Amino acid sequence: MDKALERVMDALDVETFFVCGSEEAGRNYMLGLLKGFGFKDVDIVFAQYEGPGVRVRGRAYVYRPADRYRWLLTEADGGAGR
Amino acid sequence: MSRVLLAPLDPVHDIGLKMIARGLEEAGHETVLLPPDLTPEEIVSQALVKEAQTLLISRTLGYGVAELLARFIDLADAAGLREKARIGIGGMAVRRELAAELGFDAGFGPGTTVEEVACFVERREYVPDPTRTHKEKADMTAGYDYGYRHPGIAAKLAGISALIMDWVKDKTSPGVERARLRDELWDVKRWRSREGNGALFDHYPALCGDVPRKFYESGELHPKTRRFTKDEVTGLENYLAEAKARMSVLKLQHTRRRPLVFNQYGTGCPFMDIGHILASEAWGADGVVHFDPSWGARTEGFLDGFLTHQEDGTVITAANLNRIGAGLEKSTLWQVRAHRGLNTPETVVLAAKLGADLTKINICYGSLGAGTDPERLTVDGYHAILYAKKYNLPFDVVTNEELAGVPAHKAFAGMLIVADLAVRLGARPILQPLFAYSPEVMIHGLMEDNYIDFNAAKVQALRGIVNAPIWPGAPIGFLTHTEDRVQSAMATALHACLAAALEVDAISIASTDEAYSGGPISAPAKVDTLRAVQECFRFLGQAAITPTAKADDYAAAITDGIERVLDEVLRTGDFVAALHAGVLGSREEGAYPGRAGKDTVRTAK
């Protein structure tokens, strides 16, 4: 895992405005983008489509509760350390 | 004393530099402030002529800033200025990373304080003062005498409290018995010293349901939980020590004292909770509320140990609460909810012994909106109130049955019944009306024009009845939030503004993930709402929000409605029967008497 990602407490949000013709297209662009970044646990938090395109916020959970958080674990244990 | 030249590298903007110049002068430095719209060559030349020891330049406009600053630093190098003066750059367009990359001696971004710049000028290391905002725990019940202002309602409540006290006097339940064991046999000091649980677990498992009993008999855990590993526990201790050393807290209220701001935690994992709580405290939350899983409320007895949970809600165990409580800032108020479920009185005892400041109890909501059998919760709620009194733990009386569709006046009648009972038992209840776009509001069009009148009317009605603390929740703005981060933060912040204008004692706020159901609440979502609330409090200051005349009508209608409901309870002659009969919220209104704990009340020996 990337060093910076290890420091994310829980989730990474990505937000933008896609020029597209429907909300569904915008949602798919965002999910594709997040998966393209290598994230597996991804979702759309918010999307609003109007004529020019879609305002969208996607989320990738780096950790879910009960995972082993690398920001918590020490270097020796393979974590990010502090 | 240092000679400081300040120059805006900008056509018009120099307000920030003027403030910095004034601060440096007050600190004893000689300052020269150049006018805007000079060229880099002119600024460098002036710095040499004035023999400045420090040059501070600012840039507000963002266009071409990197190129401009790079050219400036090259020019300063070529003119020999770098050997004579240290150069700092600040302003809205500046980022510390850019300043460092270009070779400036310092970079000051938005939000820079005069103290930070003075440290640079004086060649001192800037150390943010961790005590810059000093907070202390506040007792929101102080100053309230619970005196009634509405004699008619006072008399009816007295009659209902007498009914309840008579009904419960010879009754007990497994929940009451477990609380008694926890109260009498569990010494928290010995437990913290690793001297065990005393004789508690000799008797406790026999009073538990299947899941906790199996845990105590065979060590089997609930399937959605796991124990933390040793390296995780060590990691938490290190993380907490390091985060605490850097910790400072913001104050949200600007020039007001109230309302205190609470937010909820309960990701399922105590470690993630601790991370979220630290972020909430740093960004200004005055208190935090423990949110436990719904299955915990339907389970007789608590598990034990340091457990994480894969789904929403953090499991109540002594070890979990102890870790979370130990991580809190000294000023942070800590509430552990006991408002529904089969562990209500024991939750109060456990939370109090582990240092909680507040709890949450409501027999009516827990029975009608949260799945607990009315008979059981009347007995358990009564004892929970007695323990809240014993351990000096104020509690809010939540009215979330409104979210199911129960009208405000019925929910308030239930709240006032529990509050009156509590006062008679010597406890200190806090009224918790909802600030919400509730089904009642939707159906009757009570907020067609604004979100102010009906919420203000609720506070007005309660204040017309009794002199008691008021803590709107939970969270404020319920059902007005959307998944949009900006809208959600703004909805909360505007309701917070209304709460401040109404001078209530506290509020519970959501995160911007309130309406998002796809996953756990994230730390940034908590921070965003706190920032919005802070900005709204700054905007409002001591100014007022004026409801329309409709608020008076709504308040009168709520008060009349409460009185009618209390009459009906008295006519029924039995509080528990009134709960079943729908007097305090009917099935048609979305209130269903709960079944958890049915037929478990028995006569006390």
Side-chain angles (χ1 to χ4, degrees), chain B residues 265 288 290 321 324-325 328 332-336 351 354-358:
Chain B
Y265 68 86
V288 293
H290 185 96
L321 288 184
I324 290 166
L328 296 172
T332 299
L333 290 161
W334 185 29
Q335 183 185 42
V336 180
L354 291 168
D357 303 288
L358 296 150

Side-chain angles (χ1 to χ4, degrees), chain B residues 92-233:
Chain B
M92 294 299 286
V94 173
R95 297 292 176 268
R96 291 170 202 272
E97 302 82 7
L98 176 66
E101 192 181 316
L102 294 176
F104 284 88
D105 296 304
F108 302 102
T112 297
T113 63
V114 172
E115 173 64 11
E116 284 178 78
V117 181
C119 285
F120 170 63
V121 168
E122 295 164 14
R123 296 173 180 262
R124 287 189 286 123
E125 185 188 359
Y126 175 64
V127 182
D129 179 1
T131 61
R132 65 195 159 110
T133 299
H134 180 68
K135 281 188 178 182
E136 287 184 358
K137 277 186 184 177
D139 175 7
M140 72 179 91
T141 66
Y144 291 98
D145 63 4
Y146 298 96
Y148 283 102
R149 295 168 176 144
H150 191 301
I153 286 179
K156 295 179 203 324
L157 288 170
I160 296 168
S161 286
L163 283 177
I164 296 171
M165 287 192 276
D166 186 55
W167 189 87
V168 299
K169 69 175 186 283
D170 60 348
K171 293 183 175 65
T172 188
S173 76
V176 172
E177 294 306 310
R178 285 194 305 276
R180 187 177 58 76
L181 293 178
R182 183 72 69 174
D183 179 47
E184 294 175 1
L185 301 180
W186 193 65
D187 184 332
V188 67
K189 284 184 185 163
R190 288 175 59 88
W191 176 78
R192 279 180 170 147
S193 306
R194 301 181 187 279
E195 293 174 43
N197 291 292
L200 174 68
F201 292 135
D202 295 348
H203 313 279
Y204 192 90
L207 294 165
C208 288
D210 283 348
V211 171
R213 192 164 49 240
K214 277 183 194 166
F215 171 78
Y216 291 111
E217 287 171 358
S218 66
E220 185 181 333
L221 282 172
H222 185 280
K224 291 174 183 169
T225 63
R226 72 167 171 91
R227 289 183 193 280
F228 286 109
T229 60
K230 191 177 173 187
D231 64 320
E232 286 176 310
V233 176

Side-chain angles (χ1 to χ4, degrees), chain A residues 10 15 43 61 66 68 82, chain B residues 226 231 276 485 516 520 523:
Chain A
D10 39 32
E15 43 188 312
D43 194 15
Y61 280 100
R68 284 171 59 82
R82 289 165 295 277
Chain B
R226 72 167 171 91
D231 64 320
H276 281 191
R485 182 168 62 90
Y516 171 62

